[in-house]
Structure formats: C-alpha cells, structure tokens
Amino acid sequence: MQLGFLVDLHLCMGCKGCEIACKVENEVPLSTWRLRVKYVDVGTFPETKRTFTPLRCNHCENAPCERICPVSALHYIENGIVNIDKERCIGCAGCVMACPYGAIYIDPETQTADKCTYCAHRIASSMMPACVVACPVEANIFGDLEDPTSNISKYIQQHRDVQVRKPEKGTNPHHFYVGASQVHLNPLASKREEGYSLFNNITHLPLGGHH
Amino acid sequence: MVHETLAATNAVVTLDVALPEVFWGWYVTMNMWAKSIGTGLVFMLFLLLRRNPEEMKGLRTSAMIVSFVMMNVFLLFTLADLHQPFRMWHIFFYPHLTSAITVGAWMASIFVGLESLMIVVMLFKKDTVTYDKLLFWTTLLAIPVTLYTAGIMAEATARELWQMPTEAVQMILAATLSGSAAMILLGGNKLSDETKSFFANILGLSALMAFIIYMSEYIFGAMKAEEVAAILHYVKGEGEYATMFWIGQWVAYILPMILVALYRVSRSSAMLNLAAILAIVGLWVVKHVWLVIPQLLPLS
Ligand code: SF4
Ligand code: SF4
C-alpha cells in the first residue's frame, strides 16, 4: 500500500476548511500549521484573480527529512506515510533544513518537530484524514496509489496535468496537484511583499533555539 | 525561468505564513567556527611533528588543550541549539546511520575522547611517544570530523546553495586557515622562522583557495540554478548580508593574504599575528552569512 494525496485545484475555493479541520484534529498550536492554504493574487486590477493552494507534507518516497533525522524520529510506516515520533525527536531542526517544501515546523509546545502525518492515527482506525472529510467540494482526493481502482489512481489516469512540487529535488512526492500553474507550486513565481498579506503582525510563539 | 514571469503575472502572496526565517542561527555558526579551529590545530600539530619534531616541545600540551577547548565549545553550542537538549542521548541509543548528524556526533565524541587521552598522557606521564602515536589516529579522525558538517549541509536538500563537494572543500580550508592561524598565535617565539613561514604559507593559500571558491559561487553560481540565483541575491547589491559577506571576505581572506605576502617580505611577526587574528575572526562572519542566506528564501 502506498497512500497518497491529490488536490484538484479547479475545485478548491480557498475556504480553509481543511486547514481548520487539521488544526482541530491534531491540536496544532497557534502560529503553526500542518496544512496551509496559500493565497496568491495574480494580475493587475481590475484583471485579477486569486489562486488557492493547500500545502502539506508530500510524504516523499525519497524523503530528505527522514534521511537527515539523526534518531529516526521521522520514519516510514508500511502504508508509505512518513510519520513522526515526537517522543524520540531531539529538536535538532535538521528536518526543517532538509524539507524542500517547508512542511515541517517546530511545535512551540513540545519543542519537537511536527508535520502532516496524513492523519496516520485516523487511518489506523479506517477513517479518512480530517481535511478530506472537511472539504466541501471534495478537492482533496486520498487513497492507495498502488491500487489502480482507487479514486486517486483513477484521477491520475484521467487527468493530464498531474504535477508535484519541485520535482527537480528528486524527493518523489506522493502528493499531487491537478490544475496547478507555476504560481501555485513554485515559490519563486510570486512575490512576498510588505503590506499585501491578509494576516498582519503575526506573533510566533517562542521556539527556543537561537535564531 | 519562472522569476521572469513575475512582471507579467504580478503574482503576490496575499495569505500564507511560512516558517519563521532563520532556524539555524549563530549557535550553528559557533559550532562550525569552533570545530574548524579544533580540528585545524590537530592538522597543524601533525604537520609540525612530520616537519620539525623538535619544535613540538611546549606545543603538544598547549595546542591540544586549545583544540580540546574549541571542540567542547563546538559540542556545547551543538547541544544548546537543540530544542530538546536533554534528549541528546537518543543519538547514541537510537542512531540513524543515514544521517550525517548521527555519524558526526559519534565521530566528534570519539575525537574529543582521543584528545582527552592525549592531554592526560602529556600532563600526567609526559609520554611524548604515546602522544605522537595517538596524534596520527587523531589526525586521521579529524578529517571526517571536519567534513561531516558539509555532509549535513548536503543532506539539507532544501538549501540549494550548500552543494557537495564545494562545502567539503570549504570545511577543510576553514580548518587549515583557522588551524594555521591558531598555531601561529600559540607558537609565537617557540616557532622557528622557517616553521612560521610554513604556517604562514598554509594560512595564505587556504585564504586564497577559499576566496576563489566563494567568488566562483558568487559570480557563476546563479547561472545554473534559479534558487541559487535567488539566494545569492541576498549578498549582491545592498542589504545587511551583502555588507556582512564582504566584511567576511575582506577580514577572513583578502587582508590575511595581503598581510602574509607582506610578512614574506618584511618577516614582521606582528604582521603575521594580525593576519592570523583577522582570519580567525573573519571566518566566523563568512560562515555565518553562508549559513543564514539560504534560510531567507521562502520554500513554499
Ligand atoms: S514533504 Fe518534507 S516533511 Fe514531507 S516527507 Fe517530504 S521532505 Fe519530509
Ligand atoms: S528535529 Fe526531530 S524529527 Fe527533525 S531531524 Fe531533528 S530529531 Fe529528527
């Protein structure tokens, strides 16, 4: 079994239902996210549009975070999920430096690394990840990539524009996007400018460490 | 190149909270800097033993103690940078051998153990024969101990700027630069003119080679990878890291090279000592800039 995700960006409307469901399900502390929906505005007024991209851990086949973790706190489980053992983690932030997608953060409450686990605990009880359940338009498609009859496999078969983030990194993500442009997937394709963010003056909880 | 589409798309992120910027900060700089001096001194002691064993007198203990202290500074800052420092023992009891962090921690611990043994051998037994034998093995181990940080940087897949084998070469050059500088300062009048100029040459050549590599990356690095171009942007033009970058290059490499050249003409020890101090101080700045800039780039 190889579990994977696919987000159909034609369907996503940026409601952040998945983000909130994830926060609640996994008790993700303030100022940190396992799953974020990024908004990028494209064009010049009045010809503008807003794009939405849910971003989570890609559960890479060749995961740099797993490779660099000195104590195997990050590890594969048999269904292909890259899981984390927070009791084992020493908080070296090696994984934060290794993940090319910025998917790992240091949990300010436990001072250990954390990230999306595809809700491994729910899957163990035969439930879908919380974000999949919450999405009102079924933009999140989750399933077994090794089963050709699964929803996700069918979606991949039926769509031509199936993409992953940063394929050049050789991580082989198990997380796909349909309907994505460079603006959705490539952080260099958009600017981050002062004064444009809908979130302002964000207070990050203290992380320890020495930045 | 996607960057060039920006003018057309005018794409601006309007909602996203990426990771806080710099995760590995000055504690990690201290780690790399102190380790360079620690292992560099061992390399220099070994070279001195091969070249001029009679000049080892008086330096066996003092240079090894300084190296030991620097290695402990390195270990201390490594530990302090962990978010869960009291779990450090997990590295030894749950080791993950694909991780350069694990392999490095093991090797560095053995290295410091060997150094302690050498200090004990000298302080309590004055046994130079055993010391010199142990020095061979310690020097051998100093090579991977110097290099493993480059391994960590290579495994940091997200940070395109840190490439192997460039970082490996830079780690060795940092060790020979700071090791020779520390040896010049420690040796002082105990070193003959010939030995001093030998270490001065190592200092000057290390500075030259490291400078060439940095300049090559500065000028050509951006031509092949878009991410590297975006990262190098932080040290080009204006801005605090551009200023720091050039301060580092001047203090660690350019001025020491000039001073070493002048020393070769004038034989002024003061000039050589100044070159050594500048190289040690400047190395910290150089390492810090190179550590921080890739972390300024948003990953998502
Ligand atoms: S996306 Fe990042 S955190 Fe997730 S498996 Fe890949 S490297 Fe690890
Ligand atoms: S922070 Fe924790 S999970 Fe990440 S590499 Fe270090 S020990 Fe592993």
Side-chain angles (χ1 to χ4, degrees):
Chain A
M1 180 181 274
Q2 176 58 68
L3 293 174
F5 246 100
L6 183 146
V7 183
D8 188 340
L9 295 172
H10 297 301
L11 299 175
C12 176
M13 55 184 186
C15 72
K16 288 181 171 274
C18 53
E19 194 177 298
I20 306 301
C22 171
K23 274 248 179 201
V24 174
E25 174 69 29
N26 296 297
E27 298 180 351
V28 182
L30 285 173
S31 78
T32 48
W33 286 264
R34 285 187 176 200
L35 160 59
R36 301 167 0 232
V37 182
K38 172 171 136 176
Y39 290 10
V40 182
D41 290 7
V42 183
T44 310
F45 184 80
E47 296 296 320
T48 55
K49 73 173 185 206
R50 178 162 288 168
T51 69
F52 311 109
T53 323
L55 302 167
R56 52 167 86 73
C57 165
N58 297 297
H59 295 265
C60 309
E61 184 190 3
N62 181 23
C65 61
E66 188 272 347
R67 184 167 51 228
I68 204 172
C69 180
V71 293
S72 298
L74 285 152
H75 57 278
Y76 293 104
I77 50 181
E78 58 294 346
N79 54 16
I81 287 176
V82 179
N83 208 356
I84 176 142
D85 178 351
K86 293 177 84 166
E87 296 299 312
R88 178 77 69 89
C89 171
I90 61 172
C92 67
C95 52
V96 179
M97 302 302 287
C99 171
Y101 310 99
I104 305 193
Y105 57 91
I106 298 289
D107 181 329
E109 283 174 1
T110 59
Q111 295 295 328
T112 56
D114 204 4
K115 68 173 193 72
C116 157
T117 60
Y118 280 176
C119 281
H121 60 292
R122 287 175 62 95
I123 289 160
S125 317
S126 303
M127 289 190 284
M128 279 287 182
C131 55
V132 176
V133 178
C135 181
V137 292
E138 295 186 19
N140 288 296
I141 292 126
F142 179 72
D144 183 6
L145 292 163
E146 286 176 354
D147 173 6
T149 63
S150 67
N151 264 356
I152 188 167
S153 297
K154 284 196 204 143
Y155 227 94
I156 292 171
Q157 288 155 22
Q158 288 159 10
H159 290 80
R160 287 180 167 204
D161 61 337
V162 179
Q163 296 186 65
V164 295
R165 292 159 75 193
K166 302 186 184 173
E168 71 281 2
K169 295 282 184 187
T171 53
N172 304 346
H174 287 133
H175 187 293
F176 306 90
Y177 293 90
V178 162
S181 67
Q182 285 289 322
V183 165
H184 290 93
L185 302 186
N186 188 337
L188 296 178
S190 52
K191 294 176 274 189
R192 285 177 185 262
E193 288 184 345
E194 281 291 311
Y196 282 81
S197 181
L198 299 173
F199 281 177
N200 285 302
N201 299 327
I202 293 158
T203 308
H204 287 282
L205 295 182
L207 272 187
H210 303 271
H211 310 130
Chain B
M1 290 260 171
V2 74
H3 204 71
E4 276 63 61
T5 63
L6 273 174
T9 60
N10 194 22
V12 181
V13 177
T14 43
L15 188 57
D16 184 37
V17 184
L19 290 173
E21 286 176 348
V22 178
F23 250 86
W24 279 354
W26 69 273
Y27 270 39
V28 178
T29 311
M30 280 301 292
N31 154 322
M32 291 192 284
W33 177 79
K35 179 158 71 77
S36 297
I37 302 173
T39 59
L41 266 172
V42 168
F43 290 138
M44 296 309 129
L45 269 175
F46 182 74
L47 289 177
L48 185 61
L49 180 68
R50 296 278 126 187
R51 258 184 90 84
N52 241 340
E54 59 282 8
E55 286 186 44
M56 288 286 280
K57 211 162 164 261
L59 280 174
R60 278 190 180 88
T61 316
S62 60
M64 193 50 73
I65 287 176
V66 174
S67 168
F68 178 78
V69 168
M70 294 316 284
M71 289 307 291
N72 278 286
V73 170
F74 145 73
L75 289 177
L76 191 72
F77 277 89
T78 308
L79 190 67
D81 198 54
L82 298 181
H83 292 261
Q84 287 285 356
F86 295 113
R87 292 188 191 168
M88 179 68 183
W89 60 272
H90 287 190
I91 280 203
F92 301 101
F93 286 84
Y94 307 112
H96 185 216
L97 295 176
T98 63
S99 169
I101 301 175
T102 312
V103 178
W106 278 76
M107 288 188 309
S109 306
I110 299 169
F111 182 79
V112 173
L114 274 174
E115 287 201 327
S116 324
L117 191 61
M118 290 170 77
I119 292 169
V120 168
V121 159
M122 276 312 288
L123 283 182
F124 298 106
K125 296 201 170 159
K126 309 241 177 299
D127 181 353
T128 54
V129 178
T130 311
Y131 179 100
D132 293 350
K133 274 188 196 148
L134 282 172
L135 183 58
F136 173 77
W137 297 107
T138 313
T139 309
L140 214 57
L141 191 57
I143 299 169
V145 171
T146 306
L147 291 178
Y148 90 83
T149 313
I152 298 175
M153 292 169 106
E155 285 190 339
T157 311
R159 321 292 159 172
E160 194 76 33
L161 184 70
W162 305 334
Q163 292 288 344
M164 269 292 210
T166 317
E167 290 305 327
V169 178
Q170 287 289 31
M171 289 294 162
I172 286 286
L173 290 175
T176 52
L177 178 96
S178 57
S180 56
M183 203 59 164
I184 287 165
L185 295 172
L186 272 173
N189 294 334
K190 285 183 223 132
L191 300 177
S192 65
D193 283 350
E194 185 215 342
T195 307
K196 259 192 194 168
S197 57
F198 172 68
F199 286 131
N201 288 348
I202 296 181
L203 175 62
L205 283 174
S206 305
L208 176 67
M209 286 190 281
F211 181 66
I212 290 173
I213 295 174
Y214 275 119
M215 285 305 106
S216 308
E217 298 205 62
Y218 187 85
I219 297 165
F220 299 106
M223 295 182 187
K224 284 196 176 164
E226 194 169 28
E227 255 179 78
V228 174
I231 293 166
L232 287 175
H233 195 69
Y234 294 110
V235 288
K236 292 188 173 177
E238 285 163 18
E240 59 174 317
Y241 288 104
T243 312
M244 266 177 97
F245 176 78
W246 284 112
I247 290 176
Q249 297 298 316
W250 273 92
V251 177
Y253 304 136
I254 302 172
L255 290 176
M257 274 190 280
I258 296 171
L259 287 167
V260 166
L262 291 175
Y263 161 79
R264 291 180 62 83
V265 181
S266 69
R267 297 282 143 190
S268 152
S269 293
M271 226 167 249
L272 189 58
N273 288 347
L274 182 61
I277 292 168
L278 289 177
I280 291 175
V281 174
L283 184 67
W284 194 96
V285 183
V286 166
K287 287 279 173 205
H288 187 66
V289 173
W290 217 245
L291 175 76
V292 167
I293 52 171
Q295 300 178 57
L296 302 176
L297 197 71
L299 297 172
S300 56

